Amino acid sequence: MWAYFERILDSSMFSPHGICLLWEPELIWLHVVSDACIAAAYFSIPFALAILVIKRRDLQFGWVYWAFAVFITACGLTHLLSIYTLWVPAYGIEGIVKAVTAVASVFTAGALWPLLPKILTIPSPFQLQKVQAALEQEEIKSRDATLLLQQLGDAQRAMRESMTRLTAVVETAVDGVILFDAQARILLFNPACERLFGYRADEVMNLDVSMLMSNERPSSTAHARRFATGESVGLRKDGSTFPMDLSVGQAWQDGDLIYVGIVHDLTARKLTEQQLQQAQKMETVGQLSGGIAHDFNNLLTVIIGNAELLSEELKARPDLRQFADDICESGERGAELTQRLLAFSRRQLLRPKAIDCRELLESMLKLFKRTLRENIEIETAFGPGTIQTFADRAQLESALLNRVLNAQDAMPAGGHLTLSTELAAIDEHYHALHPELASGSYALISVTDDGEGMTPDVIEHAFEPFFTTKEVGKGSGLGLSMVYGFAKQSDGHVSIYSEPGLGTTVRIYLPRAGAGESPADTPDNEEAAPRGRETILITEDDPFVRSSVTQRVEALGYRVVAAVNGTEALQRLRDDPRIDMLFTDIIMPGGMSGWELAEQARRIRPGLPVLFTSGYALETLVEQGRVQARAVVLRKPYRKAELAQRLRDAFAAATVTP
């Protein structure tokens, strides 16, 4: 092999290439310059490729560039050797270089053809421009889509916020909101409706809305259109009814017609209207009575004056003078009658001053014991603290004496009479029942008897002048009228609580004097009233009282089940195992008292807590056998704090009792 290279590299036998050109200078230098330029160009190409590959590491097929650089470098060497062989016949070296160049060119060409399809897939500048334009268009579309999505998101967020606000309004609305479709099926039932009608929302969904109205029974596909806006009668779950104002509107939802009903409870307004009508009637009667009393006083002035003059003139005739004296005495009695009329009409002149209610009752107790029959026992009961009122003492004494004499007439066979005084707070609830009475603290004087009692009809007319249930000649019918007029003129109030056969309690509320006394005299703060989550069965026959008690008990956190009498209460107790307490009035119509109801309820549910309520003193009820002395009794009227405390007392008493 070495001998082969020695023979090839031996140039002694060859002639330089210049001999072939006859050493023509122009021709020799033409070859030299041309080959030099070609070699220089060839040598510059590998440098450019090397710089490109080194700088662009991301180029595909980088090894091809290096192979091409080797091939071009070899080509450049062949041209340099062509210059060299013009003078030196080194044709062996030139052959070797050409062989290397051939190998490099064959390798490069052989590698290039398989890569040609892949190279053709590389995008051209035009294609890259089109792709770039497409990308820019897609970017614009993407920005538009992003903006659209953002706008859609903002719209959805605004809709959610709007729905949240609307839901909050509907959920917290004081009035009931019902949504129903054209077939009168209930679609929405807010918490106010649950409180008004006694149903849970899940109990009425997709049911006919007419089930909530006592005057709407038939149903049809067009039934919803027939619900009129205006006053109607609502029907509760327990079967009781209440007046309501119904406002119905319509709207379109997803192409379907829907209806929105707004229900406003008119119970308080109706009661206020009744109270206002009664007050207006009493005011009218008072004005009439005042006018009559004024004119009658004028007549009595003439009669009494002439009778006195006639009596002076008839001193010598005792027989005739007696007639004049009788006329004068009758006139004075008539004057007392007109004073009572003036008291009812609130036209008398009062001289109010601070009065200690306890001292007043103690001072009058001696008078009452001398005045009343011996078969009537009188007792007193005083609340804690100092109880002072601001009123006309003479008129107050007259009112109490009148009430005591009426109580004596109501107890022909004797009985018990209780005089009591305490501080009473008129809250917003009692003010709603009696709008003419302002809320606040009052001095309360109560007169309770266990006599014949009054029927509701008698109580309704008890304050009207000349109304009496006594026989002719035994009463003028102005006793309670005078008390009513005096209390109203003194910015106070009078209430009657009575049941036939049980007795009567007359409460006189008068403005309190010295309201800035010790905090011990003030009522408990209602905000601190104890609350609960138990279920209370309330039994009350009066619909207004039942509705009021239900609202007040629910406001304390309890769940309420209502019944109108003992029979219904027992049935609800059997049907609802969740009932935790019975809250019942003691005196109820239908032949079953609250005490009898409690006994039967405890047979069904042993150990059931029971809270009784009554308008009578507990002592009177115990003496008549109406209730046991250890029973928990809440006396009407009561404040929310008293109600809350008594409910917890009843639960505690049931826990302690074996």
mmCIF file with all atom_site columns, all heavy atoms in Angstrom, residues 345-363:
data_model
loop_
_atom_site.group_PDB
_atom_site.id
_atom_site.type_symbol
_atom_site.label_atom_id
_atom_site.label_alt_id
_atom_site.label_comp_id
_atom_site.label_asym_id
_atom_site.label_entity_id
_atom_site.label_seq_id
_atom_site.pdbx_PDB_ins_code
_atom_site.Cartn_x
_atom_site.Cartn_y
_atom_site.Cartn_z
_atom_site.occupancy
_atom_site.B_iso_or_equiv
_atom_site.pdbx_formal_charge
_atom_site.auth_seq_id
_atom_site.auth_comp_id
_atom_site.auth_asym_id
_atom_site.auth_atom_id
_atom_site.pdbx_PDB_model_num
ATOM 1   N N   . SER A 1 345 ? -118.407 61.647 78.457  1.00 0.00 ? 345 SER A N   1
ATOM 2   C CA  . SER A 1 345 ? -118.108 62.463 77.276  1.00 0.00 ? 345 SER A CA  1
ATOM 3   C C   . SER A 1 345 ? -116.786 63.206 77.413  1.00 0.00 ? 345 SER A C   1
ATOM 4   O O   . SER A 1 345 ? -116.385 63.932 76.521  1.00 0.00 ? 345 SER A O   1
ATOM 5   C CB  . SER A 1 345 ? -119.230 63.477 77.035  1.00 0.00 ? 345 SER A CB  1
ATOM 6   O OG  . SER A 1 345 ? -119.331 64.375 78.132  1.00 0.00 ? 345 SER A OG  1
ATOM 7   N N   . ARG A 1 346 ? -116.109 63.058 78.582  1.00 0.00 ? 346 ARG A N   1
ATOM 8   C CA  . ARG A 1 346 ? -114.789 63.653 78.836  1.00 0.00 ? 346 ARG A CA  1
ATOM 9   C C   . ARG A 1 346 ? -114.850 65.189 78.798  1.00 0.00 ? 346 ARG A C   1
ATOM 10  O O   . ARG A 1 346 ? -113.949 65.835 78.291  1.00 0.00 ? 346 ARG A O   1
ATOM 11  C CB  . ARG A 1 346 ? -113.758 63.129 77.837  1.00 0.00 ? 346 ARG A CB  1
ATOM 12  C CG  . ARG A 1 346 ? -113.394 61.689 78.065  1.00 0.00 ? 346 ARG A CG  1
ATOM 13  C CD  . ARG A 1 346 ? -112.440 61.200 77.007  1.00 0.00 ? 346 ARG A CD  1
ATOM 14  N NE  . ARG A 1 346 ? -113.160 60.822 75.806  1.00 0.00 ? 346 ARG A NE  1
ATOM 15  C CZ  . ARG A 1 346 ? -112.577 60.430 74.679  1.00 0.00 ? 346 ARG A CZ  1
ATOM 16  N NH1 . ARG A 1 346 ? -111.266 60.392 74.608  1.00 0.00 ? 346 ARG A NH1 1
ATOM 17  N NH2 . ARG A 1 346 ? -113.277 60.091 73.627  1.00 0.00 ? 346 ARG A NH2 1
ATOM 18  N N   . ARG A 1 347 ? -115.931 65.728 79.309  1.00 0.00 ? 347 ARG A N   1
ATOM 19  C CA  . ARG A 1 347 ? -116.056 67.188 79.333  1.00 0.00 ? 347 ARG A CA  1
ATOM 20  C C   . ARG A 1 347 ? -116.002 67.751 80.756  1.00 0.00 ? 347 ARG A C   1
ATOM 21  O O   . ARG A 1 347 ? -116.183 68.940 80.946  1.00 0.00 ? 347 ARG A O   1
ATOM 22  C CB  . ARG A 1 347 ? -117.369 67.608 78.675  1.00 0.00 ? 347 ARG A CB  1
ATOM 23  C CG  . ARG A 1 347 ? -117.393 67.286 77.190  1.00 0.00 ? 347 ARG A CG  1
ATOM 24  C CD  . ARG A 1 347 ? -118.638 67.809 76.533  1.00 0.00 ? 347 ARG A CD  1
ATOM 25  N NE  . ARG A 1 347 ? -118.641 67.505 75.105  1.00 0.00 ? 347 ARG A NE  1
ATOM 26  C CZ  . ARG A 1 347 ? -119.601 67.872 74.266  1.00 0.00 ? 347 ARG A CZ  1
ATOM 27  N NH1 . ARG A 1 347 ? -120.637 68.566 74.709  1.00 0.00 ? 347 ARG A NH1 1
ATOM 28  N NH2 . ARG A 1 347 ? -119.530 67.549 72.994  1.00 0.00 ? 347 ARG A NH2 1
ATOM 29  N N   . GLN A 1 348 ? -115.815 66.873 81.721  1.00 0.00 ? 348 GLN A N   1
ATOM 30  C CA  . GLN A 1 348 ? -115.721 67.383 83.077  1.00 0.00 ? 348 GLN A CA  1
ATOM 31  C C   . GLN A 1 348 ? -114.323 67.944 83.314  1.00 0.00 ? 348 GLN A C   1
ATOM 32  O O   . GLN A 1 348 ? -113.369 67.583 82.638  1.00 0.00 ? 348 GLN A O   1
ATOM 33  C CB  . GLN A 1 348 ? -116.017 66.261 84.072  1.00 0.00 ? 348 GLN A CB  1
ATOM 34  C CG  . GLN A 1 348 ? -115.008 65.126 84.008  1.00 0.00 ? 348 GLN A CG  1
ATOM 35  C CD  . GLN A 1 348 ? -115.331 64.019 84.971  1.00 0.00 ? 348 GLN A CD  1
ATOM 36  O OE1 . GLN A 1 348 ? -116.111 64.234 85.880  1.00 0.00 ? 348 GLN A OE1 1
ATOM 37  N NE2 . GLN A 1 348 ? -114.753 62.851 84.796  1.00 0.00 ? 348 GLN A NE2 1
ATOM 38  N N   . LEU A 1 349 ? -114.192 68.812 84.273  1.00 0.00 ? 349 LEU A N   1
ATOM 39  C CA  . LEU A 1 349 ? -112.910 69.428 84.604  1.00 0.00 ? 349 LEU A CA  1
ATOM 40  C C   . LEU A 1 349 ? -112.172 68.529 85.593  1.00 0.00 ? 349 LEU A C   1
ATOM 41  O O   . LEU A 1 349 ? -112.672 68.257 86.685  1.00 0.00 ? 349 LEU A O   1
ATOM 42  C CB  . LEU A 1 349 ? -113.123 70.821 85.204  1.00 0.00 ? 349 LEU A CB  1
ATOM 43  C CG  . LEU A 1 349 ? -111.855 71.565 85.609  1.00 0.00 ? 349 LEU A CG  1
ATOM 44  C CD1 . LEU A 1 349 ? -110.980 71.820 84.383  1.00 0.00 ? 349 LEU A CD1 1
ATOM 45  C CD2 . LEU A 1 349 ? -112.220 72.876 86.303  1.00 0.00 ? 349 LEU A CD2 1
ATOM 46  N N   . LEU A 1 350 ? -111.014 68.028 85.206  1.00 0.00 ? 350 LEU A N   1
ATOM 47  C CA  . LEU A 1 350 ? -110.227 67.153 86.067  1.00 0.00 ? 350 LEU A CA  1
ATOM 48  C C   . LEU A 1 350 ? -109.111 67.940 86.732  1.00 0.00 ? 350 LEU A C   1
ATOM 49  O O   . LEU A 1 350 ? -108.584 68.901 86.169  1.00 0.00 ? 350 LEU A O   1
ATOM 50  C CB  . LEU A 1 350 ? -109.633 65.998 85.249  1.00 0.00 ? 350 LEU A CB  1
ATOM 51  C CG  . LEU A 1 350 ? -110.627 65.039 84.580  1.00 0.00 ? 350 LEU A CG  1
ATOM 52  C CD1 . LEU A 1 350 ? -109.875 63.946 83.836  1.00 0.00 ? 350 LEU A CD1 1
ATOM 53  C CD2 . LEU A 1 350 ? -111.586 64.429 85.595  1.00 0.00 ? 350 LEU A CD2 1
ATOM 54  N N   . ARG A 1 351 ? -108.757 67.491 87.923  1.00 0.00 ? 351 ARG A N   1
ATOM 55  C CA  . ARG A 1 351 ? -107.649 68.092 88.670  1.00 0.00 ? 351 ARG A CA  1
ATOM 56  C C   . ARG A 1 351 ? -106.636 66.985 88.986  1.00 0.00 ? 351 ARG A C   1
ATOM 57  O O   . ARG A 1 351 ? -106.596 66.469 90.100  1.00 0.00 ? 351 ARG A O   1
ATOM 58  C CB  . ARG A 1 351 ? -108.153 68.763 89.948  1.00 0.00 ? 351 ARG A CB  1
ATOM 59  C CG  . ARG A 1 351 ? -109.095 69.938 89.685  1.00 0.00 ? 351 ARG A CG  1
ATOM 60  C CD  . ARG A 1 351 ? -109.617 70.536 90.974  1.00 0.00 ? 351 ARG A CD  1
ATOM 61  N NE  . ARG A 1 351 ? -110.423 71.726 90.731  1.00 0.00 ? 351 ARG A NE  1
ATOM 62  C CZ  . ARG A 1 351 ? -111.713 71.695 90.402  1.00 0.00 ? 351 ARG A CZ  1
ATOM 63  N NH1 . ARG A 1 351 ? -112.321 70.519 90.267  1.00 0.00 ? 351 ARG A NH1 1
ATOM 64  N NH2 . ARG A 1 351 ? -112.381 72.818 90.184  1.00 0.00 ? 351 ARG A NH2 1
ATOM 65  N N   . PRO A 1 352 ? -105.844 66.597 87.996  1.00 0.00 ? 352 PRO A N   1
ATOM 66  C CA  . PRO A 1 352 ? -104.919 65.475 88.212  1.00 0.00 ? 352 PRO A CA  1
ATOM 67  C C   . PRO A 1 352 ? -103.763 65.841 89.123  1.00 0.00 ? 352 PRO A C   1
ATOM 68  O O   . PRO A 1 352 ? -103.311 66.981 89.161  1.00 0.00 ? 352 PRO A O   1
ATOM 69  C CB  . PRO A 1 352 ? -104.429 65.158 86.791  1.00 0.00 ? 352 PRO A CB  1
ATOM 70  C CG  . PRO A 1 352 ? -104.558 66.449 86.059  1.00 0.00 ? 352 PRO A CG  1
ATOM 71  C CD  . PRO A 1 352 ? -105.761 67.138 86.633  1.00 0.00 ? 352 PRO A CD  1
ATOM 72  N N   . LYS A 1 353 ? -103.288 64.855 89.841  1.00 0.00 ? 353 LYS A N   1
ATOM 73  C CA  . LYS A 1 353 ? -102.112 64.986 90.683  1.00 0.00 ? 353 LYS A CA  1
ATOM 74  C C   . LYS A 1 353 ? -101.524 63.588 90.891  1.00 0.00 ? 353 LYS A C   1
ATOM 75  O O   . LYS A 1 353 ? -102.150 62.577 90.564  1.00 0.00 ? 353 LYS A O   1
ATOM 76  C CB  . LYS A 1 353 ? -102.459 65.634 92.021  1.00 0.00 ? 353 LYS A CB  1
ATOM 77  C CG  . LYS A 1 353 ? -103.436 64.832 92.860  1.00 0.00 ? 353 LYS A CG  1
ATOM 78  C CD  . LYS A 1 353 ? -103.712 65.540 94.176  1.00 0.00 ? 353 LYS A CD  1
ATOM 79  C CE  . LYS A 1 353 ? -104.686 64.722 95.039  1.00 0.00 ? 353 LYS A CE  1
ATOM 80  N NZ  . LYS A 1 353 ? -104.953 65.381 96.333  1.00 0.00 ? 353 LYS A NZ  1
ATOM 81  N N   . ALA A 1 354 ? -100.320 63.527 91.449  1.00 0.00 ? 354 ALA A N   1
ATOM 82  C CA  . ALA A 1 354 ? -99.672  62.237 91.678  1.00 0.00 ? 354 ALA A CA  1
ATOM 83  C C   . ALA A 1 354 ? -100.389 61.479 92.787  1.00 0.00 ? 354 ALA A C   1
ATOM 84  O O   . ALA A 1 354 ? -100.693 62.033 93.847  1.00 0.00 ? 354 ALA A O   1
ATOM 85  C CB  . ALA A 1 354 ? -98.204  62.439 92.044  1.00 0.00 ? 354 ALA A CB  1
ATOM 86  N N   . ILE A 1 355 ? -100.691 60.217 92.538  1.00 0.00 ? 355 ILE A N   1
ATOM 87  C CA  . ILE A 1 355 ? -101.424 59.381 93.490  1.00 0.00 ? 355 ILE A CA  1
ATOM 88  C C   . ILE A 1 355 ? -100.644 58.093 93.693  1.00 0.00 ? 355 ILE A C   1
ATOM 89  O O   . ILE A 1 355 ? -100.241 57.441 92.723  1.00 0.00 ? 355 ILE A O   1
ATOM 90  C CB  . ILE A 1 355 ? -102.842 59.053 92.977  1.00 0.00 ? 355 ILE A CB  1
ATOM 91  C CG1 . ILE A 1 355 ? -103.634 60.336 92.700  1.00 0.00 ? 355 ILE A CG1 1
ATOM 92  C CG2 . ILE A 1 355 ? -103.580 58.164 93.957  1.00 0.00 ? 355 ILE A CG2 1
ATOM 93  C CD1 . ILE A 1 355 ? -104.966 60.085 92.021  1.00 0.00 ? 355 ILE A CD1 1
ATOM 94  N N   . ASP A 1 356 ? -100.446 57.706 94.946  1.00 0.00 ? 356 ASP A N   1
ATOM 95  C CA  . ASP A 1 356 ? -99.861  56.412 95.279  1.00 0.00 ? 356 ASP A CA  1
ATOM 96  C C   . ASP A 1 356 ? -100.981 55.374 95.222  1.00 0.00 ? 356 ASP A C   1
ATOM 97  O O   . ASP A 1 356 ? -101.894 55.376 96.061  1.00 0.00 ? 356 ASP A O   1
ATOM 98  C CB  . ASP A 1 356 ? -99.236  56.454 96.672  1.00 0.00 ? 356 ASP A CB  1
ATOM 99  C CG  . ASP A 1 356 ? -98.459  55.178 96.992  1.00 0.00 ? 356 ASP A CG  1
ATOM 100 O OD1 . ASP A 1 356 ? -98.808  54.111 96.447  1.00 0.00 ? 356 ASP A OD1 1
ATOM 101 O OD2 . ASP A 1 356 ? -97.505  55.252 97.769  1.00 0.00 ? 356 ASP A OD2 1
ATOM 102 N N   . CYS A 1 357 ? -100.955 54.506 94.245  1.00 0.00 ? 357 CYS A N   1
ATOM 103 C CA  . CYS A 1 357 ? -102.053 53.555 94.027  1.00 0.00 ? 357 CYS A CA  1
ATOM 104 C C   . CYS A 1 357 ? -102.215 52.603 95.203  1.00 0.00 ? 357 CYS A C   1
ATOM 105 O O   . CYS A 1 357 ? -103.344 52.246 95.581  1.00 0.00 ? 357 CYS A O   1
ATOM 106 C CB  . CYS A 1 357 ? -101.811 52.769 92.736  1.00 0.00 ? 357 CYS A CB  1
ATOM 107 S SG  . CYS A 1 357 ? -101.842 53.791 91.254  1.00 0.00 ? 357 CYS A SG  1
ATOM 108 N N   . ARG A 1 358 ? -101.106 52.191 95.799  1.00 0.00 ? 358 ARG A N   1
ATOM 109 C CA  . ARG A 1 358 ? -101.211 51.290 96.949  1.00 0.00 ? 358 ARG A CA  1
ATOM 110 C C   . ARG A 1 358 ? -101.885 51.994 98.123  1.00 0.00 ? 358 ARG A C   1
ATOM 111 O O   . ARG A 1 358 ? -102.779 51.427 98.769  1.00 0.00 ? 358 ARG A O   1
ATOM 112 C CB  . ARG A 1 358 ? -99.813  50.806 97.338  1.00 0.00 ? 358 ARG A CB  1
ATOM 113 C CG  . ARG A 1 358 ? -99.815  49.868 98.532  1.00 0.00 ? 358 ARG A CG  1
ATOM 114 C CD  . ARG A 1 358 ? -98.409  49.427 98.885  1.00 0.00 ? 358 ARG A CD  1
ATOM 115 N NE  . ARG A 1 358 ? -97.770  48.743 97.759  1.00 0.00 ? 358 ARG A NE  1
ATOM 116 C CZ  . ARG A 1 358 ? -96.569  48.193 97.812  1.00 0.00 ? 358 ARG A CZ  1
ATOM 117 N NH1 . ARG A 1 358 ? -95.880  48.247 98.941  1.00 0.00 ? 358 ARG A NH1 1
ATOM 118 N NH2 . ARG A 1 358 ? -96.052  47.607 96.759  1.00 0.00 ? 358 ARG A NH2 1
ATOM 119 N N   . GLU A 1 359 ? -101.481 53.222 98.396  1.00 0.00 ? 359 GLU A N   1
ATOM 120 C CA  . GLU A 1 359 ? -102.094 53.979 99.501  1.00 0.00 ? 359 GLU A CA  1
ATOM 121 C C   . GLU A 1 359 ? -103.562 54.236 99.217  1.00 0.00 ? 359 GLU A C   1
ATOM 122 O O   . GLU A 1 359 ? -104.409 54.192 100.128 1.00 0.00 ? 359 GLU A O   1
ATOM 123 C CB  . GLU A 1 359 ? -101.328 55.294 99.672  1.00 0.00 ? 359 GLU A CB  1
ATOM 124 C CG  . GLU A 1 359 ? -101.813 56.176 100.815 1.00 0.00 ? 359 GLU A CG  1
ATOM 125 C CD  . GLU A 1 359 ? -102.952 57.105 100.398 1.00 0.00 ? 359 GLU A CD  1
ATOM 126 O OE1 . GLU A 1 359 ? -102.977 57.488 99.204  1.00 0.00 ? 359 GLU A OE1 1
ATOM 127 O OE2 . GLU A 1 359 ? -103.826 57.408 101.244 1.00 0.00 ? 359 GLU A OE2 1
ATOM 128 N N   . LEU A 1 360 ? -103.910 54.508 97.947  1.00 0.00 ? 360 LEU A N   1
ATOM 129 C CA  . LEU A 1 360 ? -105.309 54.761 97.583  1.00 0.00 ? 360 LEU A CA  1
ATOM 130 C C   . LEU A 1 360 ? -106.170 53.537 97.866  1.00 0.00 ? 360 LEU A C   1
ATOM 131 O O   . LEU A 1 360 ? -107.254 53.650 98.478  1.00 0.00 ? 360 LEU A O   1
ATOM 132 C CB  . LEU A 1 360 ? -105.394 55.140 96.100  1.00 0.00 ? 360 LEU A CB  1
ATOM 133 C CG  . LEU A 1 360 ? -106.806 55.328 95.541  1.00 0.00 ? 360 LEU A CG  1
ATOM 134 C CD1 . LEU A 1 360 ? -107.453 56.571 96.135  1.00 0.00 ? 360 LEU A CD1 1
ATOM 135 C CD2 . LEU A 1 360 ? -106.780 55.414 94.019  1.00 0.00 ? 360 LEU A CD2 1
ATOM 136 N N   . LEU A 1 361 ? -105.716 52.362 97.439  1.00 0.00 ? 361 LEU A N   1
ATOM 137 C CA  . LEU A 1 361 ? -106.507 51.152 97.658  1.00 0.00 ? 361 LEU A CA  1
ATOM 138 C C   . LEU A 1 361 ? -106.615 50.823 99.144  1.00 0.00 ? 361 LEU A C   1
ATOM 139 O O   . LEU A 1 361 ? -107.674 50.393 99.626  1.00 0.00 ? 361 LEU A O   1
ATOM 140 C CB  . LEU A 1 361 ? -105.890 49.982 96.886  1.00 0.00 ? 361 LEU A CB  1
ATOM 141 C CG  . LEU A 1 361 ? -105.961 50.061 95.356  1.00 0.00 ? 361 LEU A CG  1
ATOM 142 C CD1 . LEU A 1 361 ? -105.361 48.805 94.734  1.00 0.00 ? 361 LEU A CD1 1
ATOM 143 C CD2 . LEU A 1 361 ? -107.393 50.241 94.881  1.00 0.00 ? 361 LEU A CD2 1
ATOM 144 N N   . GLU A 1 362 ? -105.519 51.025 99.887  1.00 0.00 ? 362 GLU A N   1
ATOM 145 C CA  . GLU A 1 362 ? -105.579 50.741 101.330 1.00 0.00 ? 362 GLU A CA  1
ATOM 146 C C   . GLU A 1 362 ? -106.539 51.683 102.044 1.00 0.00 ? 362 GLU A C   1
ATOM 147 O O   . GLU A 1 362 ? -107.275 51.268 102.958 1.00 0.00 ? 362 GLU A O   1
ATOM 148 C CB  . GLU A 1 362 ? -104.176 50.858 101.924 1.00 0.00 ? 362 GLU A CB  1
ATOM 149 C CG  . GLU A 1 362 ? -103.235 49.724 101.513 1.00 0.00 ? 362 GLU A CG  1
ATOM 150 C CD  . GLU A 1 362 ? -101.838 49.921 102.050 1.00 0.00 ? 362 GLU A CD  1
ATOM 151 O OE1 . GLU A 1 362 ? -101.534 51.060 102.485 1.00 0.00 ? 362 GLU A OE1 1
ATOM 152 O OE2 . GLU A 1 362 ? -101.040 48.961 102.032 1.00 0.00 ? 362 GLU A OE2 1
ATOM 153 N N   . SER A 1 363 ? -106.561 52.950 101.611 1.00 0.00 ? 363 SER A N   1
ATOM 154 C CA  . SER A 1 363 ? -107.469 53.902 102.259 1.00 0.00 ? 363 SER A CA  1
ATOM 155 C C   . SER A 1 363 ? -108.924 53.611 101.913 1.00 0.00 ? 363 SER A C   1
ATOM 156 O O   . SER A 1 363 ? -109.820 53.829 102.735 1.00 0.00 ? 363 SER A O   1
ATOM 157 C CB  . SER A 1 363 ? -107.095 55.325 101.848 1.00 0.00 ? 363 SER A CB  1
ATOM 158 O OG  . SER A 1 363 ? -107.287 55.516 100.454 1.00 0.00 ? 363 SER A OG  1
#
